Amino acid sequence: MATEKLQGITRRRFLSGMLTASAGAVIGSSLLAPRTAMAATDAKSTFSGDVIHGSHWGAFRAKVENGIWIDTVAFENDPHPTAMLSAVREVVYNPSRVKYPMVRLDWLKHGWKSDTTQRGDNRFVRVPWSQALDFFHHELERVQNTYGPSALYAGHSGWQSCGKLNTAGTIMQRAISLHGTYLAKIGDYSTGSAQVVLPYVAGAMEVYEQQTSWPLVLENAKNIVIWGSDPIKNLQVGWLIPDHSVYGYYQQLADKVKSGEINVIHVDPVKSQSYKFFGGKQVPVNPQTDVPLMLAIAHTLYTEKLYDEQFLADYTTGFDQFVPYLTGEKDGVAKTPEWAEKICGIPADEIRELARTMASGRTQIIAGWCLQRMQHGEQYAWMIVVLAAMLGQIGLPGGGFGFGWHYNDAGTITSAGPLMSGFSSVTGVEPIHQGSYNGYSTYIPVARFVDCIENPGKTIQFNGHSVKFPHMKMAIFCGNNPFHHHQDRNRMIEAWRKLETVVSVEHQWTATCRFADIVLPATTTYERNDIEQFGNHSNKGIIAMKQIVEPMFESKDDFDIFRELCTRFDREEAFTGGKTKMEWIEEIYNGARLQGRGIGVRMPNFVKFWEEEQFVSFPEGSEWVRHAAFRKEPDLEPLGTATGLIEIYCKTIADMGYDDCQGHPMWFEKVERSHGGPKSNKFPLHMQSCHPNYRLHSQLCSSDDFRGTYAVQDREPVYISTADAKARGIVSGDIVRVFNDRGQVLAGAVVTDDYKSGVCRIEEGAWYAPLEGGKPGTLCTYGDPNVLTVDIGTSKLAQATSAHTALVEIEKYTGPIPSVTGFSGPTEIDDVNPLFPAMDIA
């Protein structure tokens, strides 16, 4: 078969290129170039001046001298820029850059038959771009022809890249969809359970929606209940480019709290940044017991007749089927404040007072996402809606509920300007391969993808359907890092060995790259041109994202990587649509410009915008109230539920017959829970792993200098209460071991009075840095909390992540202190003997 073709790749070409790469691999110091290294091509590297750009942390102007980015200045139209902007320059220059196309050593020798237990050991060989893409294409062909589309997992995604053109996941899926169909994912890690249950209950996903305009809330609300949310911390970042104007409203709220005009209540075991900024009262509920607290509030509202009977009659359905559970008629357990006190730790009289306060005037409930990321997280989201419905203020300014207040500048007034579209993953061109899925599902819930790898052929229940796990053989990850956002890292490492080939397209040498077989270096957003919306829900305008520096080393734009891949199966024209990157950017802009004409918003032509103005602002829009149309005309503006009403009892869910998510919200015990719950005798501390203060998930963790501003002895901080630290002989600055039956990490102790006893926190996004790469159970030297989290579905309804169901113990670390691994490229690269046995690619 030496000269026989395999879909356009000859064996001779495949092997000769591989041998050339082996013989000519530039190994050693070139892979460890300093962060100030210049780009591989310096033809344009003499530019000096200011360059406008944007990021998930805000817009800015980069100061460039002789082609080197030396400083970052916040955009003049951002009134409250985040300190994280100082870390974005490091993304280009840090030692974790993926510099060259790399192939894992044993995979280079043996291809898909490699020893997968070596994944994670960080031994890679540099290969030419052409050969790396040949490998990529060959594996696509092999998997499609051998197993079919169910074996190729290409739908995984994380946060998008800023920019309407260069969205990594979209570009990847466009190219792979031209080659063949594949196994896709459904849902996400951020809001996995809420986004499934809320459409049944409230008619929409709710979690990503715009909220009532803050001026109306500030004018009309008497009480604001912030339930498990920390908007002051979380709104530093945005899905697009945040304008941070929402912080102006937050200052007004803090002033009103100080003057006594508005009460703010924080239901949270931690004194959050929002608590410190706004002031108000804390209700330090025991972790994972918010639903018993909510049920007791509902019980008080019901028994003291503080609820709005007319609203329930006009706008909801199923309250009469919920009441027997609430009163105990159904199960013999009345959900009284006394019952809840024993579980949630809040005195019964305080629960009653909280219920009365919420019923005393206009009350806005601000619900966070962390609490739906625990086992049975659907129940929390459902009960938030039930409480708001009982109060009867849904659709009124300053009343009701919202799940998106801490996301995307929510509550700012949306402008009257157009919205830009973006590069699409859909081309309308049929893929080359459209094989059979052989009875397996075409999608999997994203948080169950390790289950899928581990248990091929298993059938699970999900949202009223049966999902049969296929035999996953190949996985492609582009611009996302599952070795950050998935749970139970050691279980994941074991399951990962079942994959034959893993491809990662990335600009930082993440743990996902270390556990990949083919690693392709992408540019950062700062090394390419693009265009984006300034302001998320606010849509303040359009900003040019102009290339700041030339691409570093051998990195390429995602667009070019996948365009070149498509040339290997004759789909380049379909992928590019016959346009260059700048032509796409101009078309995206002109689409918004045309839309603007229709609504009376004038925009300059593209050349003037790009070369001169570089930012177009839109006129301010109108204030808005969430659910107001439904409240005003429920018959003409029904919700998207089966009945068109808020469903306190949902027959659709009830008919699914799930034992862990029934027809109305309920309290279910967790597999592990602190403060006297299951497993708390062995592991007494509840570990929160909520959104970080100094990163966007795992992004910016590799910015060494910025990481040094918050790390403790080079480790991720673990926040622990003063009482718990004293009981363990721990003081701030100590290196501690955080552990449970699932794994162990080192972290740096920060002792604080802000945390309730029995609660600790390691913020998610801390990079996985194993002491022994690729070995399950090894110590994580930096502090990845997902070494410790549990990997079970929230329920059969959503099958979402239960990351916030996690107990740990902490002890002062007394062993030899290892160096932190994880923040550089490959650490060991062996020369490859060009005479090794030929890889069998047949």
Side-chain angles (χ1 to χ4, degrees):
M1 290 181 60
T3 59
E4 293 175 10
K5 283 194 173 184
L6 179 60
Q7 293 293 326
I9 305 175
T10 66
R11 181 182 179 88
R12 183 179 303 278
R13 177 187 174 199
F14 187 79
L15 293 176
S16 65
M18 191 170 65
L19 298 180
T20 300
S22 303
V26 181
I27 300 170
S29 61
S30 65
L31 294 176
L32 302 175
R35 70 179 67 190
T36 54
M38 290 296 295
T41 302
D42 58 3
K44 299 180 182 178
S45 62
T46 59
F47 170 79
S48 296
D50 291 356
V51 183
I52 192 169
H53 206 83
S55 71
H56 292 303
W57 302 273
F60 59 90
R61 294 186 184 274
K63 293 187 176 296
V64 180
E65 287 187 6
N66 295 320
I68 300 176
W69 181 1
I70 63 167
D71 198 9
T72 307
V73 178
F75 186 44
E76 56 272 18
N77 290 342
D78 185 339
H80 303 280
T82 172
M84 281 186 274
L85 273 181
S86 65
V88 297
R89 186 189 65 85
E90 286 193 78
V91 174
V92 173
Y93 297 117
N94 71 57
S96 297
R97 277 302 295 263
V98 181
K99 303 178 178 75
Y100 314 108
M102 305 289 280
V103 177
R104 186 170 63 84
L105 176 61
D106 199 64
W107 195 95
L108 185 59
K109 292 180 177 180
H110 304 293
W112 63 273
K113 295 181 179 179
S114 72
D115 177 5
T116 57
T117 65
Q118 295 184 28
R119 282 208 187 104
D121 69 8
N122 215 22
R123 294 187 298 166
F124 285 80
V125 176
R126 179 180 173 182
V127 299
W129 261 110
S130 60
Q131 200 57 56
L133 291 171
D134 281 350
F135 289 169
F136 191 174
H137 176 221
H138 169 268
E139 285 301 281
L140 289 174
E141 286 289 320
R142 181 184 67 81
V143 170
Q144 288 284 1
N145 288 322
T146 305
Y147 306 110
S150 64
L152 174 64
Y153 184 54
H156 206 88
S157 60
W159 266 65
Q160 68 164 8
S161 312
C162 272
K164 285 290 185 278
L165 172 61
N166 293 289
T167 301
T170 298
I171 285 176
M172 182 271 288
Q173 291 174 15
R174 181 180 176 103
I176 301 304
S177 294
L178 287 167
H179 182 266
T181 50
Y182 55 82
L183 177 66
K185 66 92 175 177
I186 191 169
D188 60 39
Y189 286 84
S190 295
T191 65
S193 63
Q195 69 178 245
V196 173
V197 72
L198 287 174
Y200 291 112
V201 175
M205 198 180 284
E206 292 294 337
V207 288
Y208 300 126
E209 313 289 347
Q210 172 65 299
Q211 305 299 298
T212 299
S213 301
W214 265 113
L216 294 175
V217 177
L218 294 168
E219 180 182 349
N220 293 281
K222 178 180 179 181
N223 307 299
I224 296 178
V225 180
I226 303 178
W227 206 304
S229 183
D230 194 355
I232 289 291
K233 168 173 66 72
N234 288 352
L235 278 166
Q236 295 179 86
V237 302
W239 182 249
L240 307 176
I241 301 174
D243 65 69
H244 296 127
S245 59
V246 69
Y247 285 94
Y249 297 123
Y250 288 166
Q251 184 59 60
Q252 293 178 49
L253 176 57
D255 293 341
K256 285 180 175 289
V257 173
K258 187 175 182 179
S259 68
E261 296 176 64
I262 296 179
N263 302 313
V264 174
I265 300 165
H266 306 261
V267 185
D268 199 320
V270 174
K271 293 176 181 176
S272 67
Q273 289 191 41
S274 297
Y275 170 83
K276 294 177 181 180
F277 187 85
F278 296 134
K281 178 183 178 182
Q282 182 193 15
V283 179
V285 61
N286 289 338
Q288 300 192 85
T289 65
D290 301 83
V291 169
L293 175 58
M294 291 176 178
L295 287 167
I297 292 172
H299 189 277
T300 301
L301 294 175
Y302 180 72
T303 57
E304 296 188 5
K305 297 193 180 302
L306 299 174
Y307 66 104
D308 191 327
E309 293 185 68
Q310 194 60 53
F311 182 88
L312 292 176
D314 293 343
Y315 298 98
T316 77
T317 182
F319 185 68
D320 56 339
Q321 291 164 284
F322 171 65
V323 167
Y325 174 76
L326 189 65
T327 59
E329 180 184 342
K330 182 177 181 180
D331 61 358
V333 179
K335 310 311 178 294
T336 64
E338 285 75 16
W339 166 81
E341 176 181 353
K342 298 174 184 178
I343 304 171
C344 72
I346 305 301
D349 287 345
E350 290 188 20
I351 296 175
R352 289 190 178 89
E353 187 57 35
L354 177 56
R356 293 163 186 160
T357 297
M358 293 173 68
S360 67
R362 192 69 57 82
T363 298
Q364 174 71 58
I365 304 176
I366 292 177
W369 295 348
C370 282
L371 301 180
Q372 55 88 51
R373 291 196 294 266
M374 63 183 177
Q375 192 183 17
H376 315 111
E378 298 88 349
Q379 308 305 310
Y380 154 77
W382 202 339
M383 270 306 301
I384 286 284
V385 179
V386 171
L387 286 181
M390 291 182 73
L391 294 174
Q393 299 166 6
I394 295 171
L396 297 177
F401 68 91
F403 287 90
W405 284 102
H406 64 290
Y407 179 74
N408 276 354
D409 317 310
T412 53
I413 298 172
T414 302
S415 77
L419 288 170
M420 283 190 294
S421 60
F423 195 62
S424 175
S425 62
V426 178
T427 63
V429 177
E430 290 295 315
I432 294 170
H433 296 278
Q434 298 192 69
S436 170
Y437 283 82
N438 298 315
Y440 296 112
S441 295
T442 60
Y443 68 88
I444 54 174
V446 68
R448 304 273 62 78
F449 96 101
V450 168
D451 284 352
C452 177
I453 300 170
E454 191 175 61
N455 301 292
K458 179 181 177 180
T459 297
I460 65 167
Q461 293 301 306
F462 166 69
N463 198 13
H465 303 280
S466 295
V467 174
K468 185 177 181 181
F469 290 150
H471 293 251
M472 195 188 299
K473 299 294 184 181
M474 180 179 180
I476 306 168
F477 302 101
C478 183
N480 70 88
N481 182 14
F483 269 82
H484 142 246
H485 54 231
H486 198 81
Q487 285 63 58
D488 197 345
R489 187 70 63 243
N490 291 309
R491 178 188 178 216
M492 182 177 182
I493 292 168
E494 289 271 14
W496 208 253
R497 294 171 173 176
K498 292 189 174 185
L499 296 173
E500 293 176 353
T501 298
V502 178
V503 179
S504 180
V505 183
E506 183 57 84
H507 55 72
Q508 305 290 301
W509 202 271
T510 64
T512 301
C513 291
R514 293 170 183 251
F515 280 85
D517 301 304
I518 301 170
V519 180
L520 304 178
T523 53
T524 66
T525 62
Y526 317 116
E527 298 161 291
R528 60 201 186 205
N529 291 310
D530 215 317
I531 190 170
E532 188 55 277
Q533 183 178 311
F534 178 63
N536 290 267
H537 286 311
S538 61
N539 190 28
K540 288 289 183 69
I542 293 175
I543 192 167
M545 294 174 59
K546 306 201 75 168
Q547 182 180 5
I548 299 171
V549 293
E550 292 292 308
M552 297 290 289
F553 304 97
E554 292 186 9
S555 61
K556 293 177 181 282
D557 295 352
D558 297 90
F559 185 97
D560 290 326
I561 293 171
F562 286 99
R563 176 186 59 78
E564 291 179 25
L565 178 67
C566 287
T567 64
R568 285 156 169 79
F569 50 90
D570 196 28
R571 287 292 188 273
E572 180 181 11
E573 178 74 14
F575 175 79
T576 66
K579 298 181 182 68
T580 66
K581 289 176 286 187
M582 280 307 301
E583 286 171 343
W584 270 110
I585 292 171
E586 182 173 359
E587 179 169 298
I588 291 167
Y589 176 85
N590 284 336
R593 187 174 181 232
L594 180 62
Q595 183 188 142
R597 287 179 183 174
I599 56 176
V601 176
R602 293 290 180 179
M603 295 166 57
N605 64 48
F606 179 74
V607 172
K608 186 173 183 180
F609 163 75
W610 188 260
E611 299 296 338
E612 299 177 27
E613 299 191 11
Q614 302 176 5
F615 174 68
V616 174
S617 62
F618 294 149
E620 187 166 322
S622 302
E623 295 176 347
W624 180 80
V625 177
R626 179 140 197 86
H627 301 120
F630 166 67
R631 185 182 186 101
K632 184 178 180 180
E633 297 181 303
D635 294 329
L636 296 178
E637 299 285 347
L639 300 178
T641 62
T643 60
L645 303 172
I646 294 167
E647 299 203 357
I648 296 174
Y649 176 89
C650 179
K651 184 177 184 301
T652 306
I653 293 178
D655 288 348
M656 294 177 190
Y658 299 151
D659 58 348
D660 54 5
C661 188
Q662 300 181 26
H664 56 73
M666 300 170 63
W667 159 244
F668 295 95
E669 184 58 271
K670 315 305 171 197
V671 294
E672 54 190 74
R673 178 172 61 82
S674 62
H675 297 86
K679 298 188 180 180
S680 60
N681 288 335
K682 185 175 183 181
F683 300 110
L685 302 177
H686 171 85
M687 185 190 71
Q688 294 185 336
S689 56
C690 56
H691 192 283
N693 186 34
Y694 302 106
R695 296 185 296 270
L696 169 52
H697 301 312
S698 66
Q699 296 182 55
L700 299 188
C701 196
S702 59
S703 293
D704 288 359
D705 291 343
F706 188 73
R707 188 175 69 251
T709 65
Y710 62 85
V712 178
Q713 291 202 50
D714 296 327
R715 322 288 154 163
E716 182 71 13
V718 55
Y719 300 90
I720 183 173
S721 76
T722 302
D724 291 331
K726 183 178 180 180
R728 292 161 175 79
I730 294 169
V731 298
S732 287
D734 283 345
I735 293 181
V736 298
R737 185 174 78 103
V738 188
F739 63 96
N740 57 23
D741 289 336
R742 291 179 288 274
Q744 55 179 336
V745 309
L746 295 184
V750 176
V751 179
T752 172
D753 291 331
D754 293 341
Y755 284 67
K756 181 174 185 172
S757 180
V759 181
C760 66
R761 175 182 294 180
I762 303 179
E763 294 174 333
E764 55 91 1
W767 276 27
Y768 178 58
L771 183 62
E772 298 178 76
K775 181 180 178 181
T778 191
L779 182 71
C780 175
T781 62
Y782 180 69
D784 172 10
N786 278 324
V787 170
L788 306 165
T789 50
V790 66
D791 185 14
I792 58 174
T794 51
S795 77
K796 295 181 180 69
L797 181 72
Q799 293 287 0
T801 179
S802 295
H804 281 269
T805 297
L807 296 184
V808 300
E809 181 56 286
I810 301 178
E811 64 183 15
K812 187 171 181 178
Y813 185 70
T814 57
I817 299 175
S819 298
V820 175
T821 64
F823 295 108
S824 62
T827 56
E828 178 184 350
I829 304 175
D830 292 344
D831 288 300
V832 180
N833 187 339
L835 299 180
F836 63 73
M839 184 195 304
D840 181 7
I841 65 167

